[in-house]
Amino acid sequence: MPRTTAWGAFATVTLAIFGASCSAGADSDNPGGTPAVASRPASSAPTAEPSPPLIPTATPVEKVRDAFAGLQATLDDSCTPADCAYFLRRVFDELHRLDGAMKASEKGPGHFAEPIKLIKELDAQVGSDQSFANLKKYQTALIATRNKINTWMQSHPDDYR
């Protein structure tokens, strides 16, 4: 699932849970702690069910320049013993964030054929195992892919300015 879709879904679910927990508070007139709605007489109950909150049907498309900025933010970082797992995961995630933005770009994936191909080649090496041990195993390929894409993007300034 793309990162923006996952975060959008997470935010929607979190807001729905928070809203439900806030509206299900105890009635101050009812010391038993039952929800206020349960003690309401049947004659005062609403006739129609309240409509559920609107859930966006489409995730906004991230711009290539924004995704590229996230990838560039990893350029000054490195795999230190304390932060190596975080660093490798971040580079992997930022590459895939950029991949999604390039594929959804108005310019079309054909314009970004080389960086998309580099990410696809990396994915073929890494496979489905995104654990730290596996990312560490492919650290050289991961960093090389990031650097090649950075170089490609630097030669296409119209794509990130």
Side-chain angles (χ1 to χ4, degrees), residues 103-137:
K103 289 176 179 175
S105 169
E106 292 175 353
K107 293 183 179 184
H111 177 74
F112 299 102
E114 185 176 342
I116 290 172
K117 180 184 107 195
L118 290 169
I119 294 169
K120 185 176 181 178
E121 290 171 355
L122 175 68
D123 286 346
Q125 290 178 351
V126 172
S128 62
D129 182 3
Q130 297 173 19
S131 67
F132 169 62
N134 197 48
L135 291 178
K136 181 72 173 156
K137 179 179 175 182

Side-chain angles (χ1 to χ4, degrees), residues 26-35:
D27 186 1
S28 61
D29 294 334
N30 187 352
T34 58

Side-chain angles (χ1 to χ4, degrees), residues 15 32 44 50 56 85 95 154:
L15 288 173
S44 67
L95 283 168
Q154 294 296 332

Side-chain angles (χ1 to χ4, degrees), residues 39-63:
S39 64
R40 185 183 301 155
S43 63
S44 67
T47 56
E49 288 291 319
S51 59
L54 293 177
I55 297 173
T57 56
T59 303
V61 176
E62 184 169 26
K63 295 187 182 292

Side-chain angles (χ1 to χ4, degrees), residues 1-21:
M1 181 178 299
R3 183 177 182 177
T4 54
T5 302
W7 281 110
F10 174 78
T12 301
V13 169
T14 302
L15 288 173
I17 291 170
F18 180 77
S21 68

